[in-house]
Structures are given as C-alpha cells and as structure tokens.
Amino acid sequence: MNPLLQLVRRHRQGEHVGIFSVCSAHPLVLEAALIQARENQTALLVEATSNQVDQFGGYTGMRPHGFSEHLTQLAQGCGFPADKLILGGDHLGPNRWQSLPAAEAMEHARDLIAAYVAAGFQKLHLDCSMACADDELPLDDALVAARAADLARVAEEVGRHLYGRSELLYVVGTEVPTPGGAQEHLDELAVTRPEAAERTLLAHREAFAAAGLNDAWQRVIALVVQPGVEFDHISVANYQPAAATALSRMIEGHPGLVYEAHSTDYQTPAAYRQLVRDHFAILKVGPALTFALREALYALAGIENELLPEKERSHLRKVLEQSMLERPAFWQSHYHGSQTECRLARSFSYSDRIRYYWPIPAVEASCQTLLNNLSAVALPETLLSQYLPAQYQRVRAGTLEAKPKALVIDCVREVLRPYAAACRAETEEQS
C-alpha cells in the first residue's frame, strides 16, 4: 500500500499521525529532508509546484521527469529507500497560464498533469481556483471542480496507459493560501467556514461522478482549506486552534479524508502538533526551508570574510543582490517601500523571494566557491559560536561535523525537526 494512503488511514482510525510535505527543489534542502526522514525511518513526501517544475522547465529549469530523476539520485546518495519516497505535484492546474484564455490555459494544464504522471508523481493537488483571461469573476464552485475533474481524467488515462492501472492519490480544494506567502501585511486571517469546505467537497464529488471518475474519487485523500496559518514578508499568523474547531470537526464526517494545510512555515512546534491533532495531517513547508538555507549560507559567508582575503572570497551576498537587481521579476511586484525596505526584504523576508535566484549560474558558482573555500580550512569553534550557535553546540557535542555542507544541512533540518516530531504518533513520542 502507498505509505501516504496508509498514513491517512491510520490517522482516520484515531492515531495522531501526520506527514510533512517538502515543497522545494533546492538540492541541499532535499538532501536535508532525505536525511531527516531516513533517521526517523519514515516516508518522505516531496512536492514540486507548477511554478518550479512544468513541461517547459519552470523557474528551476527542470521538467517533471528531470525533477523525479534528480530526487531519485539524491535519495540513492543518502541511502534513502526508494519505496518510502513519495512524489507530489502542488497547485497543478492553469496557474502558470492565467493570462491566457481558459481553453488554452487548460490545454497546457492537461499537458502538465500528463507529464507529472508520466514522471512517476503519485500525489496530485488539483488546483483550478485561479481565473483565466476570459473567465467571469468570481469563479463558480462547479466550474472550478469541473476543471479539476477534467485534469483527474487525464491523469487516470495516462496512469492506466503507462502502468496498467491508476493508483494516483488526489488532493482537492480551492481555499488555498497564496503560494509562498501572502503579498500584503496580515491583519486578520479568516479560517475556512465548515459549510464552505462542505460545498467544495460536494462540488468536486459531483464533478468526478459526472466525468465517470467514481473510482478516482475513492483515492481523494485530502482537502485544502485555510486553518488560519499564513505569513507575509515580516510577520506570521499563528495557528489558533479555537478558531478552527468547527472546521476540524467537519472532516470527521468524511471517512478517508484529512486536511492538507499549506503555508505552515514558521509556526511553533506546539502549533504543528495541534494541527495534526485537528486533522491537518499533511503539513506543507517550503519557504521556511530556503529561508534557513539562506541564513546558513550568509553565516558561512560571514565566517569566510573573517578567514580569507577579499580577493579569494565568494562574495555571495554581493552576487545574490546583483542577480536580484538584474532580474527583478521574482520580487519587484511583492516588495514595496523605500530602497532600504526593499533591500532588506530581498534578503530577509519571510516570503523568501530569494529562493528563485539560487539556480542562476553566477549564484550557484558563488555558493560552490564558498563551500570550497571553507572546506579547505579548519573552521574555528569560536566563529561557529558567533555565526552558527546551534550548530556550534552540536559540533562541541560530537554529533555534527564542522564542515560547511554539513552545517548548512543541519540548519535546514532545524526547520524539519519540529515537523517530524509533530507528525510522529504520540505513543512513539512518549516511548
């Protein structure tokens, strides 16, 4: 049985178990997640978004098959078992082509879904909640659901053609937080109303039935709603369990289903545990991981500045800033204010638009220079204490090697450890 389906069934049978979903394409982030899951002896769910990976390459330059191969190779290198690796696709739909007429955008979306299934992705979040160029607003629930069912039909056909049968798992839902965080300051965040969640489920169930997809509907495992968690550039909306009580109870009337919570980045460890208890059993994390990656690399750049003459340094921060200024498309419409405010946001925003710039060749080269430079010298404990205090403690305890790549991976794992703890069965946690 698919380990994700098995976990959902365990949760619905009363176990307080969940799974975190890693939404990143950065190889160091993925390696950190693989190591974390390997040590916890759990399955690992990794998801590519339609922005990162599509049939044209996305912003990472990778198509679905390339992403799958890349992740498989990383897993082999980490000694992670292939049968515990789950590939998912996030926000699959017309998102990338909203500026086109609906017919054209949906044709691209069908090709996108087909490419994901052909590449071995097992979990598909069908998201057709965004309007296309010729759509009337607001979008009707039935139209959104019909488009999602259309994509499910394509997925099922490709799955049966390639594998003889379809065992694909689906996630539906239209109340999706903005991918990568809210663009405006958070004042008050509305939790999805139970009746709205019921309408979404009913609309999708009817659309699947109308498309002859009753079997596929039995493999819908989760509904995306807004539990009241989100972040913007400078603040985080913390989970308030009391505000989500009615929503939490609603899903209990739908056997086989859990909630999928997006934008759970930067929540507290206690919040993650409570989210799982409240049936938000799939916790998605993305920008917080590359936020931690950036913190680690900036810290290493600070150490490099102390140890090496200027002409030998990577100048990572300068290279990144220059790359962002030369290619402003990924941040310019998100960050506003004075030059100082925008400069700070480019590097330090919770929404972490800097993550789009790591694949740029000049940035990749600078990162490699940084890692090479610091791999060739002994890192003084005193500088580790100054720049990476948590990792310094592990180095002193003998549980972490004082090597730059190991330090970066451990910083990313600092984000993942609370997720892993929250997703473990409470009996495991207590034993």
Side-chain angles (χ1 to χ4, degrees), residues 30-203:
L30 296 175
E31 192 169 338
L34 287 161
I35 293 170
Q36 184 68 45
R38 184 192 69 201
E39 292 192 4
N40 292 144
Q41 297 183 325
T42 60
L44 177 64
L45 173 57
V46 175
E47 302 203 46
T49 71
S50 57
N51 286 327
Q52 292 170 330
V53 176
D54 67 16
Q55 66 269 42
F56 305 111
Y59 75 76
T60 63
M62 281 191 286
R63 294 176 174 85
H65 187 72
F67 182 84
S68 176
E69 284 191 337
H70 176 58
L71 184 57
T72 299
Q73 290 170 1
L74 286 173
Q76 290 173 346
C78 292
F80 187 81
D83 61 345
K84 288 190 174 182
L85 184 60
I86 307 165
L87 273 172
D90 197 22
H91 297 288
L92 302 183
N95 179 47
R96 292 274 285 174
W97 305 284
Q98 295 178 56
S99 61
L100 300 177
E104 190 175 350
M106 284 300 296
E107 193 58 39
H108 284 309
R110 294 183 194 100
D111 292 341
L112 174 71
I113 285 282
Y116 267 76
V117 175
F121 286 70
Q122 303 158 271
K123 171 188 174 289
L124 306 176
H125 170 217
L126 306 175
D127 179 12
C128 296
S129 61
M130 61 290 298
C132 300
D134 56 351
D135 280 329
E136 294 184 9
L137 297 176
L139 290 185
D140 180 75
D141 282 349
L143 175 62
V144 170
R147 288 177 178 175
D150 183 31
L151 298 183
R153 175 189 56 77
V154 173
E156 291 291 295
E157 289 175 355
V158 174
R160 286 193 297 269
H161 174 71
L162 293 178
Y163 310 114
R165 59 179 296 184
S166 175
E167 296 181 344
L168 296 166
L169 303 178
Y170 297 98
V171 174
V172 298
T174 58
E175 293 212 23
V176 184
T178 304
Q183 295 188 29
E184 304 299 335
H185 182 69
L186 300 176
D187 294 316
E188 185 176 347
L189 197 60
V191 175
T192 299
R193 300 187 312 278
E195 56 270 26
E198 288 277 12
R199 282 199 304 271
T200 296
L201 274 179
L202 177 61

Side-chain angles (χ1 to χ4, degrees), residues 125-322:
H125 170 217
L126 306 175
D127 179 12
C128 296
S129 61
M130 61 290 298
C132 300
D134 56 351
D135 280 329
E136 294 184 9
L137 297 176
L139 290 185
D140 180 75
D141 282 349
L143 175 62
V144 170
R147 288 177 178 175
D150 183 31
L151 298 183
R153 175 189 56 77
V154 173
E156 291 291 295
E157 289 175 355
V158 174
R160 286 193 297 269
H161 174 71
L162 293 178
Y163 310 114
R165 59 179 296 184
S166 175
E167 296 181 344
L168 296 166
L169 303 178
Y170 297 98
V171 174
V172 298
T174 58
E175 293 212 23
V176 184
T178 304
Q183 295 188 29
E184 304 299 335
H185 182 69
L186 300 176
D187 294 316
E188 185 176 347
L189 197 60
V191 175
T192 299
R193 300 187 312 278
E195 56 270 26
E198 288 277 12
R199 282 199 304 271
T200 296
L201 274 179
L202 177 61
H204 280 79
R205 185 168 65 241
E206 290 178 345
F208 271 59
L213 297 172
N214 289 316
D215 179 66
W217 182 255
Q218 301 308 310
R219 287 178 270 113
V220 174
I221 60 168
L223 174 67
V224 176
V225 292
Q226 174 53 273
V229 298
E230 184 60 281
F231 57 91
D232 60 16
H233 308 316
I234 59 173
S235 61
V236 178
N238 295 318
Y239 182 54
Q240 305 294 333
T245 298
L247 182 61
S248 173
R249 289 174 179 163
M250 190 283 290
I251 204 69
E252 293 174 356
H254 296 273
L257 287 177
V258 296
Y259 286 128
E260 178 171 281
H262 289 223
S263 297
T264 66
D265 308 69
Y266 313 111
Q267 294 291 314
T268 66
Y272 296 133
R273 170 57 71 185
Q274 189 61 51
L275 279 161
V276 173
R277 288 196 189 105
D278 292 343
H279 306 306
F280 299 95
I282 303 174
L283 303 175
K284 309 199 76 155
V285 55
L289 299 171
T290 42
F291 186 93
L293 173 81
R294 188 268 311 157
E295 286 186 322
L297 291 170
Y298 274 20
L300 290 179
I303 293 175
E304 182 190 43
N305 289 344
E306 302 292 343
L307 295 178
L308 297 177
E310 184 172 359
K311 65 180 181 180
E312 296 179 18
R313 298 173 193 165
S314 64
H315 301 287
L316 176 63
R317 293 191 62 173
K318 185 181 296 184
V319 171
L320 263 170
E321 175 69 0
Q322 186 63 33

Side-chain angles (χ1 to χ4, degrees), residues 378-391:
L379 301 184
E381 288 184 358
T382 52
L383 288 181
L384 290 180
S385 178
Q386 173 67 41
Y387 288 96
L388 293 165
Q391 285 63 48

Side-chain angles (χ1 to χ4, degrees), residues 8-30:
V8 169
R9 289 182 177 178
R10 286 176 59 197
H11 182 95
R12 288 313 309 261
Q13 289 168 1
E15 290 190 62
H16 292 291
V17 294
I19 190 169
F20 60 85
S21 170
V22 173
C23 301
S24 178
H26 196 287
L28 288 175
V29 169
L30 296 175

Side-chain angles (χ1 to χ4, degrees), residues 297 314 316 362-375:
L297 291 170
S314 64
L316 176 63
V363 176
E364 281 191 327
S366 181
C367 284
Q368 194 57 56
T369 298
L370 173 64
L371 296 177
N372 290 343
N373 281 345
L374 295 185
S375 294

